[in-house]
Amino acid sequence: MSHWIIAPVVVPALVAAFIVLVARFDLHLQRTVSIAATIGLLAIAVGLFLLAEDGIPRPYLLGNWPAPFGIVLVLDRLSALMLLLAQILAVAVVLYAAAGWDRQGRHFHALFQFQLMGLNGAFLTGDVFNLFVFFEVLLIASYGLFLHGAGAARLVTGFKYVTVNLVASTLFLFAVGTIYAVTGTLNMADLAVKAGQVGPDQLGLLRTGVALLFVVFAVKAALVPLHLWLPGTYGVACAPVAALFAIMTKVGAYAILRVHHMVFGGEAAPAAGLAEPWLVPAAVLTLILGTLGLLAARSVQRLAAFSVIASMGTLLLVLAVPGPDAHAAALYYLLHSTLAAAALFLLADLLAERRGSVRDELVAAPAFPQLDLLAGGFLLAAIATTGLPPLSGFLGKVWILDVLRAHPVWPWLWAAILATSLLAVLAFARAGSLLFWKSTAVGATAEADPPPRARPALPLVATAVLVAAPVLLAASAGPIARNLEATAAQLHDRAAYVEAVLGPQRLARAGEE
Amino acid sequence: MEFLVASAVGVLTAVGVYLCLRGRTFPVVLGLSFLSYAVNVFLFATGRLVVGRPPIIDPAAPGYTDPLPQALVLTAIVISFGMTALVVVLALRAFLEAGSDHVDGREPGAEGRR
């Protein structure tokens, strides 16, 4: 039993407590500790990713209590992959924030570490109730981060964001309670076994619980019509926080994969075919509404927020298709869309900082310093987000189109994806030409209004890391695709997961019953 | 007793949902509290309704009651208590900064001042 498995949860918890208790008034110490801890976590995540490469799910029994009775964390390929993605994003965000955003309010780094703790725990946990607890940890930290820098707009939007998430948490508890009442367990491996043995008289209750759980994850994943909280929230949060939130919707997608496709998945499963008939039209609507939002967006940050909704539409569409092939494609698109959206949020802030009073609004304004550099970054991010070749957005969409052929109404789904991609290209082309070409046409540089301060290089480096991610994802698409195929195959190998967590004898007994 | 508990959960949830849909922040906060009461009572019932039994296996007692939902309820109470405090402070700050206790941050019909 490798004790490193619990490190991604314990390290940020201790670091956050240290920052609050010891480094409270020392911003430099906070930054140093927070950046060092995040880089350390990245190293741990890489180590765990390599550890999970052998394809054996590794349970971590807290207090060494045997599996269905104690609390377990489980490291498998999928959780290791999500951990790695979260830490890569976190390193870029913490470097970006350390250049000045963390001075706008107090406790940025403490909340940031708690947020990481919640994310890592949600990816590692092997227990549905602890999934709820880690969701709460990451949500409570996100409330604090969202309000970072305050202001009336953030407070009013923050109230709605908190309310929506509290209602969703209540639904989560109702769902967990219903599932526990039927099966008598909340351990994921145990649930996977017990759900298959539920009698017909209790089946309706179990399906209700599973459907409620799906609604909760759909709220997190911003599936239409549960997406209304997202544009406002992501549109007014401060840039590094919005970039970090790019992974929050993906936590919803991860939970759908883990709970609906692994725990309650399979052909004979009680919950089979429960959500899929609703998921396809809802995902297509999400895609269309997100794209229309792109066309209507009046600032770069809103553009990035709606690109998150559109990408969630594409992602959830693939999640409606069962089977490991589809889910490998979904995972590739998940990696790509998280990093691309985060890059857009950071670019929006870099632009806002340089363009003076117009901020990141999509209007022609005088040229600004470092225009060429940012134009190049925006071009790459736009190509990646809209899915033009040669970056990972294109590869991801082609792979998705390929796996969607298994779906009965695939011509319609193809039409939806291709048409919305075209509209997204239009929206980004318009934004780019307004921001960069028309700006130079206006002429006279805006040297007059703000005195040229020394611009720190750190935010540019952090953004460059995220902008380079789609390039790297495309360049090494072959090895990554093979890895994701193995990940999806492992996710669907329910027996191996149950055996690893509960032990072989227990699986045999379940088979006899 | 089943009827009593079930209707209590139902009424609490209905009140909570209704209040959450109101336009002012204070009823919304009350609605969230009602929803959390409803879910706490519901979670208790998931271990089956048992009266006067210990939550551990005791040979002297005629049976036992499931202790796990009680642990779940404790966790849920702690979280919802903390969240209620947060949401009250948040509503107050939003009221003071935006000058309106409407959830949209401005009076209905008034011109936007964002």
Side-chain angles (χ1 to χ4, degrees):
Chain A
M1 195 156 81
S2 165
H3 287 288
W4 286 107
I5 295 174
I6 202 172
V9 183
V10 171
V11 170
L14 293 178
V15 169
F18 175 82
I19 289 173
V20 172
L21 297 175
V22 181
R24 203 166 178 157
F25 301 108
D26 188 347
L27 192 58
H28 269 289
L29 184 61
Q30 285 187 15
R31 283 179 185 167
T32 316
V33 173
S34 186
I35 292 175
T38 314
I39 292 174
L41 280 172
L42 177 64
I44 292 172
V46 170
L48 290 177
F49 184 77
L50 295 176
L51 186 69
E53 278 295 281
D54 61 1
I56 307 165
R58 282 186 172 69
Y60 181 84
L61 311 173
L62 275 91
N64 215 11
W65 288 91
F69 308 112
I71 292 169
V72 286
L73 302 179
V74 183
L75 178 79
D76 62 0
R77 281 169 174 275
L78 179 60
S79 46
L81 178 77
M82 296 302 294
L83 274 183
L84 190 58
L85 175 66
Q87 307 324 301
I88 290 172
L89 186 62
V91 168
V93 168
V94 78
L95 288 178
Y96 192 97
W101 266 110
D102 55 358
R103 208 180 285 128
Q104 305 269 328
R106 296 171 67 194
H107 304 308
F108 177 88
H109 289 290
L111 289 166
F112 178 80
Q113 295 293 331
F114 275 128
Q115 170 97 50
L116 273 185
M117 173 198 170
L119 283 169
N120 293 346
F123 294 142
L124 279 170
T125 184
D127 181 292
V128 181
F129 192 76
N130 279 315
L131 189 63
F132 166 76
V133 173
F134 282 120
F135 264 44
E136 285 302 308
V137 172
L138 77 89
L139 284 173
I140 293 169
S142 83
Y143 304 150
L145 282 177
F146 176 71
L147 296 171
H148 183 75
R154 258 174 222 157
L155 284 165
V156 170
T157 318
F159 183 80
K160 293 181 204 167
Y161 174 64
V162 173
T163 308
V164 167
N165 278 300
L166 285 183
V167 173
S169 300
T170 313
L171 269 184
F172 200 152
L173 279 177
F174 273 117
V176 163
T178 313
I179 292 172
Y180 179 78
V182 177
T183 59
T185 183
L186 288 173
N187 180 293
M188 288 185 189
D190 206 19
L191 266 181
V193 176
K194 295 256 173 72
Q197 304 163 352
V198 170
D201 54 328
Q202 297 272 299
L203 201 58
L205 210 50
L206 181 65
R207 285 172 68 94
T208 310
V210 176
L212 271 178
L213 211 49
F214 185 84
V215 172
V216 177
F217 298 151
V219 172
K220 311 280 176 226
L223 181 71
V224 170
L226 305 168
H227 69 290
L228 293 166
W229 61 273
L230 192 144
T233 311
Y234 285 37
V236 301
C238 73
V241 173
L244 183 64
F245 281 13
I247 202 169
M248 299 263 286
T249 47
K250 275 67 183 181
V251 176
Y254 164 82
I256 289 175
L257 262 179
R258 177 68 79 195
V259 174
H260 286 267
H261 287 290
M262 194 195 82
V263 176
F264 296 113
E267 301 73 42
L274 195 64
E276 281 80 4
W278 302 95
L279 189 50
V280 171
V284 171
L285 266 182
T286 312
L287 182 56
I288 292 173
L289 279 180
T291 312
L292 292 181
L294 283 180
L295 289 172
R298 281 185 293 181
S299 73
V300 184
Q301 194 164 358
R302 301 287 281 194
L303 202 67
F306 281 107
S307 86
V308 170
I309 296 191
S311 71
M312 284 318 289
T314 316
L315 186 56
L316 291 166
L317 195 55
V318 198
L319 290 187
V321 181
D325 297 340
H327 295 159
L331 286 174
Y332 187 81
Y333 196 73
L334 189 153
L335 294 180
H336 149 78
S337 59
T338 309
L339 296 171
L344 265 181
F345 280 117
L346 294 190
L347 277 170
D349 187 56
L350 289 177
L351 284 168
E353 195 183 293
R354 281 161 180 71
R355 291 179 81 219
S357 60
V358 293
R359 307 290 297 160
D360 61 337
E361 278 170 46
L362 294 176
V363 290
F368 48 89
Q370 295 176 321
L371 185 136
D372 297 341
L373 195 63
L374 291 187
F378 186 82
L379 178 69
L380 279 179
I383 287 178
T385 311
T386 53
L388 288 178
L391 299 188
S392 57
F394 172 71
L395 296 176
K397 276 194 179 162
V398 169
W399 196 357
I400 282 174
L401 290 178
D402 187 45
V403 297
L404 278 180
R405 278 186 302 148
H407 200 276
V409 293
W410 67 269
W412 294 101
L413 304 182
W414 275 43
I417 291 184
L418 293 175
T420 50
S421 296
L422 179 66
L423 291 178
V425 170
L426 274 178
F428 274 91
R430 190 198 55 159
S433 65
L434 260 177
L435 285 171
F436 302 110
W437 285 343
K438 295 215 172 127
S439 296
T440 38
V442 169
T445 44
E447 217 64 70
D449 24 18
R453 287 181 290 123
R455 295 191 188 284
L458 209 53
L460 289 175
V461 174
T463 315
V465 169
L466 290 178
V467 172
V471 182
L472 290 178
L473 275 175
S476 52
I480 291 177
R482 274 193 293 284
N483 185 290
L484 294 180
E485 274 162 3
T487 306
Q490 189 195 38
L491 181 72
H492 283 265
D493 190 358
R494 202 169 299 106
Y497 183 90
V498 171
E499 188 181 328
V501 176
L502 299 181
Q505 63 281 52
R506 179 130 180 133
L507 185 71
R509 221 184 320 144
E512 283 162 25
E513 276 167 14
Chain B
M1 188 165 69
E2 279 82 357
F3 176 77
L4 201 62
V5 172
S7 50
V9 173
V11 169
L12 284 174
T13 310
V15 171
V17 169
Y18 175 77
L19 288 175
C20 273
L21 296 174
R22 302 293 292 170
R24 306 274 159 187
T25 49
F26 185 62
V28 174
V29 175
L30 284 186
L32 289 173
S33 306
F34 270 103
L35 278 180
S36 68
Y37 295 153
V39 79
N40 290 344
V41 177
F42 177 80
L43 279 182
F44 251 119
T46 59
R48 302 294 183 270
L49 295 171
V50 177
V51 177
R53 304 268 166 86
I56 47 168
I57 295 177
D58 181 359
Y64 70 97
T65 173
D66 191 346
L68 194 81
Q70 306 184 8
L72 301 189
V73 170
L74 272 181
T75 315
I77 288 174
V78 172
I79 291 177
S80 66
F81 172 69
M83 293 324 298
T84 308
L86 175 92
V87 87
V88 166
V89 173
L90 190 54
L92 206 56
R93 276 291 298 277
F95 169 60
L96 293 176
E97 295 246 347
S100 162
D101 67 342
H102 198 270
V103 288
D104 286 332
R106 53 168 188 256
E107 295 303 314
E111 278 306 304
R113 41 159 291 182
R114 290 161 68 129

